[in-house]
Amino acid sequence: MSVTIEEVEAAAQKHPVAPYLRMDRMPHIWCPTCGIGTVMKCYAQALEEADVDMDKAAIVSGIGCTGRVAGYMNLDAFHSTHGRAIPFATGVKLGRPELLVTVFSGDGDLSGIGGNHFIHAARRNMDLLVILVNNFIYGMTGGQNAPTTPLTAKSSTMPFGNFEEPFNLPHLAASCGAVYVARWTCLHTRRLTKSFQEAIDRRGFRFIEVIAPCSTLYARLNRLGSGFDLMRFYHDSAEIKHGADPKEVGIDFQDKIICGKFIDEDRPAMHERMDAHYKKVLGDKYVPMPPEGGWLHE
Amino acid sequence: MKADPAGVLTGAHYLDGDFACGEGAMAAGCRFTAGYPITPSTEVVERISRRFPMMGGTFIQMEDELASMAAVVGASWTGTKCLTVTSGPGFSLMMENIGLGAMMETPLVVVNVQRGGPSTGLPTMTGQADMMQARWGSHGDYRLIALSPQSPQESFDLMIDAFNLSEEYRVPVLFMMDECVGHMTEKVVIPPADEIEIVPRKLTDKPPGEFLPYKANGNGVPEFARAGDGYRFHTTGLTHDERGYPVMSAECQEELIPRLINKITDNVDKISRFDEENTDGADVVLVTYGITARVARMGIDMARKKGVKVGVIRLIVVWPFPEQHIRDLASKIKAFVVPEINLGQMVLEVERCAGGKAETILVPHAGGGVHNPQDICDAILRAAK
């Protein structure tokens, strides 16, 4: 049976998450069996299920494969510089506090070059939903070692295997003060969507790590088979342990992946704490920035 | 529109240049500042952080200058007027996202209270050695606007112009102070709010769907949509088309980058500002800016007493450089004399524009202090021979 391009395009427009995406930018750039598209779809679905006002939602990405997500979401979207998505998003949030601001980027972007911003945004409990897609490698630049590459795994800059300790990202986020910390793989589509939805409704620094296969580079360099083999591996080796101690959820090469919700607390976000503090110490003299932002108009 | 009175501290004050600069920003309508402490600029954000809570402004001390610069680019996209403040080492870190600001066409102001460099250099002492970094510091081709005040009063006045220019042309504007002006205390008169003219963000009146975020008007500058107003725009540091979508092609680059440059170079006459004194019939013209313009006064007086006809061009807007004016002068005079607290930066522009028609003489100073006026006088006398 043959289908025309027009039929494919018409079908795409009817896709349930089409209103949440820039369909005029499809097809996306990601490789077949890459997990990022699935994570993006889950995020779009979570926006729908959480009934988010899309006109009041902004998304910020850095650079890299996952950094392209902002460009495909039908929101106010910022494709910023490498590693700077979190401070850029901090500006967007503080400039117009009413916005729901999501940072959507990769492991290299957020925990490598952007690591300093990550820990400080978690410390000050910035009101950001941070979605980090971890594929254990720098994909866009061709498979170099990442701060998340497991010990002994090969990368193009660790051709004899990685000998540096990787980050355990949920532990990093939790120890810096993140109020919501979860990890899923991109195969947990229903749980991941629910987790996004839950995190959208929380306040403060919310961190969700999503493990996703990179068949083009990570699987190839490590002879892990096809993208489908990698997906099956992630499916079979994921173990759900809600409330697990984040310290215990580090990932070894081709070993089990502990998933679940590890932290879920309620603490005022940075801008809420600022408001409350100034109200207390300055009283009537304090003039808060209005929710629609600090812009001037006639 | 007129300034928001909440940010205007009307009256006569005794302020240093850093405080005056902060007051200028608040009077200009700045309501978001992100910064990282660095000598000799920190007093600007100290002033702002103390006054912002009373006028609906938000200050955040970021973890470094990379973050400060990224945050002001982000906040500017909410329509808020934004400022960050730094000195040499921080200015180097900001270059990354100054380039992003240029590419995304984001109005904002960056203050650099210059100190001696390179590297950590002379943190508490003056310098003017970041002038070429202000022109070329970020990678790629772009044009920005840079101003240089010579006094605390100008630190206030020009700050308002800096914000207005950033809105007019949608570029980061660099405010190139120096430690001397920053830490010099003088009388600063702040006018009533209704005497301060403010250029508001030029929001599009097109509805979402019809709006193209990077379609330029006749001036080469696109209209703006704020995040949160339903436009659902896309903006990127990648080469992009009128929709703001990335296009990886030489053709798109050829569309975009010349426009980013031309919106400044085509408007040089409107942007350019300098004080001109006694250049008619002059033999020697001094080209100067910032604190050095004031130090040079004494050297000029000394040379005039010896009978030399000395004219002065004091650059207020340093970038874009007033090329044509220097070219025109070059054919009428013997020489340009350029004193600056570096080993030869703006002098390169003067020399280029003079094109061999007039001699160009640098009066260098390595930094950490200002010139001895005698050195400037001697250079003028040499030039007049």
Side-chain angles (χ1 to χ4, degrees):
Chain A
M1 192 186 86
S2 66
V3 285
T4 63
I5 291 170
E6 288 73 24
E7 282 167 337
V8 171
E9 281 175 356
Q13 295 299 338
K14 283 186 203 141
H15 192 283
V17 296
Y20 292 84
L21 303 179
R22 294 182 194 272
M23 296 306 286
D24 55 345
R25 290 207 59 205
M26 295 298 143
H28 56 66
I29 64 156
W30 298 308
C31 308
T33 74
C34 169
I36 300 169
T38 311
V39 185
M40 181 171 80
K41 191 246 172 194
C42 292
Y43 173 66
Q45 207 170 333
L47 290 177
E48 186 182 17
E49 282 167 21
D51 202 19
V52 168
D53 179 353
M54 286 165 66
D55 289 346
K56 299 289 177 200
I59 183 166
V60 184
S61 288
I63 299 296
C65 294
T66 314
R68 292 304 184 100
V69 168
Y72 298 130
M73 293 302 304
N74 188 16
L75 307 169
D76 287 326
F78 301 95
H79 183 219
S80 69
T81 38
H82 196 21
R84 315 297 166 225
I86 286 176
F88 192 107
T90 297
V92 175
K93 178 68 200 182
L94 294 179
R96 191 160 187 172
E98 66 181 336
L99 300 184
L100 167 74
V101 183
T102 302
V103 170
F104 208 130
S105 217
D107 49 320
D109 188 78
L110 291 172
S111 75
I113 186 168
N116 195 29
H117 313 309
F118 182 90
I119 61 176
H120 283 278
R123 169 184 65 77
R124 55 171 78 99
N125 203 21
M126 264 322 295
D127 195 33
L128 301 174
L129 167 58
V130 178
I131 298 168
L132 182 152
V133 178
N134 180 1
N135 55 12
F136 304 123
I137 206 152
Y138 281 84
M140 183 77 84
T141 47
Q144 294 79 18
N145 217 68
T148 48
T149 306
L151 274 173
T152 75
K154 285 179 181 156
S155 61
S156 66
T157 48
M158 285 279 194
F160 308 106
N162 175 37
F163 49 81
E164 281 187 21
E165 287 277 350
F167 267 139
N168 167 355
L169 291 172
H171 180 43
L172 178 70
S175 59
C176 293
V179 291
Y180 185 98
V181 179
R183 178 198 279 151
W184 300 101
T185 78
C186 65
L187 291 135
H188 295 95
T189 51
R190 274 177 302 130
R191 288 184 171 93
L192 179 60
T193 307
K194 189 165 162 282
S195 190
F196 285 158
Q197 199 186 330
E198 194 171 68
I200 285 168
D201 290 332
R202 299 287 193 275
R203 58 178 178 172
F205 190 88
R206 295 144 283 165
F207 174 67
I208 300 172
E209 179 187 17
V210 192
I211 308 296
C214 169
S215 60
T216 305
L217 290 153
Y218 186 70
R220 185 168 57 79
L221 291 167
N222 288 288
R223 300 184 183 284
L224 302 175
S226 69
F228 289 112
D229 294 329
L230 209 56
M231 280 193 226
R232 181 167 302 282
F233 173 79
Y234 289 159
H235 178 264
D236 295 345
S237 44
E239 196 180 315
I240 298 174
K241 268 193 192 171
H242 290 300
D245 181 351
K247 214 172 170 178
E248 309 296 329
V249 304
I251 299 175
D252 289 325
F253 184 53
Q254 292 301 92
D255 201 357
K256 66 174 186 283
I257 298 167
I258 307 294
C259 296
K261 182 168 75 176
F262 308 132
I263 306 278
D264 188 358
E265 296 166 0
D266 183 48
R267 273 189 283 123
M270 179 271 191
H271 67 292
E272 295 169 321
R273 218 181 264 272
M274 176 179 75
D275 275 335
H277 179 73
Y278 281 147
K279 268 181 199 135
K280 194 171 143 202
V281 298
L282 297 173
D284 292 344
K285 284 192 286 180
Y286 175 52
V287 180
M289 182 181 279
E292 71 274 16
W295 72 302
L296 301 172
H297 48 99
E298 311 259 11
Chain B
M1 66 183 283
K2 302 297 177 193
D4 169 14
V8 184
L9 201 66
T10 304
H13 308 272
Y14 191 54
L15 292 178
D16 76 9
D18 281 356
F19 280 177
C21 166
E23 287 300 333
M26 291 182 280
C30 174
R31 293 295 179 269
F32 179 80
T33 298
Y36 184 82
I38 186 165
T39 304
S41 75
T42 314
E43 293 90 330
V44 182
V45 292
E46 285 173 346
R47 182 82 175 190
I48 286 172
S49 60
R50 185 165 280 274
R51 302 231 306 119
F52 254 6
M54 272 69 83
M55 64 182 79
T58 298
F59 168 73
I60 182 169
Q61 184 171 318
M62 296 300 285
E63 50 275 12
D64 57 32
E65 288 90 346
L66 301 163
S68 303
M69 193 61 225
V72 297
V73 179
S76 181
W77 279 92
T78 66
T80 304
K81 296 197 178 208
C82 298
L83 174 77
T84 187
V85 181
T86 193
S87 186
F91 199 50
S92 292
L93 292 186
M94 287 179 181
M95 285 303 148
E96 174 191 59
N97 289 300
I98 285 176
L100 182 69
M103 194 63 150
M104 287 183 168
E105 301 184 66
T106 312
L108 56 92
V109 177
V110 180
V111 174
N112 177 359
V113 187
Q114 295 174 87
R115 64 193 220 185
S119 189
T120 317
L122 295 168
T124 62
M125 300 164 89
T126 201
Q128 291 182 314
D130 305 345
M131 302 309 294
M132 279 294 172
Q133 189 179 20
R135 169 66 185 84
W136 299 103
S138 199
H139 57 277
D141 273 324
Y142 62 94
R143 291 290 190 289
L144 303 179
I145 296 171
L147 294 89
S148 186
Q150 66 165 351
S151 65
Q153 181 68 54
E154 266 198 357
S155 299
F156 176 87
D157 295 339
L158 294 183
M159 204 55 186
I160 290 160
D161 297 334
F163 273 94
N164 287 348
L165 285 164
S166 79
E167 297 293 341
E168 193 73 49
Y169 295 99
R170 278 188 66 173
V171 284
V173 170
L174 309 177
F175 201 67
M176 303 300 287
M177 294 172 63
D178 53 67
E179 186 273 340
C180 267
V181 169
H183 285 163
M184 162 198 297
T185 301
E186 287 183 338
K187 184 178 176 186
V188 175
V189 179
I190 299 180
D194 60 10
E195 289 175 20
I196 299 174
E197 204 57 47
I198 298 297
V199 177
R201 187 66 51 92
K202 297 187 173 176
L203 295 185
T204 183
D205 50 16
K206 291 199 178 72
E210 285 175 33
F211 172 67
L212 287 169
Y214 288 98
K215 186 172 171 56
N217 61 20
N219 213 17
V221 185
E223 290 174 337
F224 196 88
R226 309 197 295 150
D229 280 356
Y231 283 88
R232 301 190 197 169
F233 57 79
H234 179 254
T235 179
T236 173
L238 287 168
T239 295
H240 47 268
D241 61 15
E242 291 180 339
R243 297 172 299 173
Y245 289 2
V247 180
M248 300 298 96
S249 76
E251 291 75 21
C252 190
Q253 181 84 348
E254 184 59 41
E255 281 285 306
L256 176 64
I257 308 305
R259 180 175 67 73
L260 296 185
I261 287 176
N262 293 344
K263 72 178 177 180
I264 301 301
T265 52
D266 289 351
N267 292 300
V268 169
D269 292 343
K270 279 190 233 159
I271 302 167
S272 249
R273 265 183 72 189
F274 48 84
D275 278 344
E276 185 163 14
E277 175 197 310
N278 295 338
T279 53
D280 271 350
D283 290 325
V284 178
V285 169
L286 208 80
V287 181
T288 181
Y289 56 93
I291 188 61
T292 308
R294 294 180 72 178
V295 175
R297 301 303 321 173
M298 195 171 164
I300 292 164
D301 289 346
M302 289 156 76
R304 280 182 182 155
K305 275 183 193 146
K306 301 211 173 196
V308 183
K309 288 184 192 153
V310 190
V312 184
I313 299 282
R314 179 174 74 89
L315 302 173
I316 296 169
V317 170
V318 180
W319 299 114
F321 189 74
E323 298 182 359
Q324 194 54 48
H325 195 67
I326 298 294
R327 269 189 206 114
D328 294 344
L329 275 175
S331 53
K332 297 175 195 160
I333 64 168
K334 277 190 189 162
F336 290 107
V337 170
V338 186
E340 46 185 349
I341 309 174
N342 58 54
L343 299 186
Q345 297 197 10
M346 296 311 292
V347 71
L348 299 174
E349 278 300 273
V350 178
E351 194 170 23
R352 181 176 71 81
C353 297
K357 288 184 186 147
E359 196 186 352
T360 304
I361 296 173
L362 167 70
V363 191
H365 190 303
V370 294
H371 289 78
N372 182 338
Q374 186 65 53
D375 294 340
I376 295 173
C377 171
D378 290 348
I380 296 171
L381 296 179
R382 236 180 19 253
K385 272 186 193 155

